Amino acid sequence: GDEGLSEAIERERSARRLDRALALVNKAEASGTADDAKMRLALHKAALLKEKGQDDAALAALLAVPKDSALYYESRLRAGELLREAGKTSEAARQVDDAAKAAGDDPERKLETAIALAFVDEKRGDTVQAVRRLEALRSQNPQHVALSLGLALIEERRGAWARALELVEGLLKHKPG
């Protein structure tokens, strides 16, 4: 079944047998699985191709996820990450903007896209904008883990290690786990 297939792919991926994991994905794609399962396979395939250093093929797999898919949001967020890592910040921002539109009214997804855009800002060299973007959100969500950690990462990388430490220590006080 689809769940067992996903587990088998992840098991092969964890064991660093990427070719075997990709073979499972390709076999499943050829077997005529349901559309929703095909989209999940596209996300698996993209992750595997990225791990193999085939970023262009990974990006193509992510961009093949149609707008009406439940996984469109995630595919665009991942595509934005790939493009950002490649230094294609304008294209990355467009993909993250598409993800933001697909997020609808989901507050968690809105925060995820804001964090992704802050990382794009940082990659562009605009760490001031990245920090501003996250600080504004943090004032409304002071205990949000990913938001605080994302801000701490940017602060640390721009040399503001004391601020980064302050953010993480404050987070640990409120959420020791």
Side-chain angles (χ1 to χ4, degrees):
D2 292 339
E3 190 174 310
L5 178 62
S6 288
E7 289 173 9
I9 292 168
E10 281 306 310
R11 198 171 29 255
E12 295 297 337
R13 182 179 176 202
S14 295
R16 306 293 304 151
R17 294 187 296 246
L18 302 178
D19 289 331
R20 288 175 67 171
L22 274 170
L24 285 171
V25 169
N26 292 334
K27 183 177 178 182
E29 286 176 335
S31 72
T33 59
D35 286 345
D36 186 47
K38 281 183 184 174
M39 294 307 107
R40 266 188 258 111
L41 287 172
L43 296 181
H44 280 302
K45 187 175 200 171
L48 292 164
L49 290 167
K50 180 182 177 193
E51 284 187 44
K52 288 185 73 158
Q54 298 175 13
D55 290 356
D56 289 341
L59 182 61
L62 291 169
L63 295 179
V65 175
K67 208 171 199 168
D68 62 347
S69 169
L71 298 172
Y72 181 79
Y73 165 82
E74 189 173 345
S75 72
R76 291 314 181 259
L77 205 56
R78 290 185 188 188
E81 180 183 329
L82 267 174
L83 289 163
R84 183 193 79 230
E85 289 173 2
K88 299 175 182 177
T89 56
S90 295
E91 293 174 52
R94 277 194 298 277
Q95 293 304 318
V96 176
D97 283 339
D98 283 351
K101 290 173 190 165
D105 293 330
D106 184 320
E108 189 62 31
R109 284 184 168 187
K110 285 185 178 286
L111 287 173
E112 286 177 346
T113 56
I115 293 166
L117 284 171
F119 286 141
V120 171
D121 292 336
E122 179 191 31
K123 185 72 171 187
R124 279 188 186 132
D126 193 353
T127 56
V128 172
Q129 174 60 28
V131 168
R132 233 185 257 139
R133 183 186 302 275
L134 296 184
E135 284 288 5
L137 289 170
R138 194 169 170 280
S139 68
Q140 300 163 13
N141 305 280
Q143 303 309 319
H144 191 275
V145 175
L147 186 57
S148 295
L149 290 176
L151 180 56
L153 278 171
I154 292 170
E155 290 285 29
E156 188 274 330
R157 289 192 290 241
R158 74 180 193 146
W161 60 268
R163 174 70 176 131
L165 191 58
E166 176 187 312
L167 287 163
V168 173
E169 285 176 344
L171 188 60
L172 288 172
K173 281 182 187 173
H174 294 285
K175 298 193 179 203

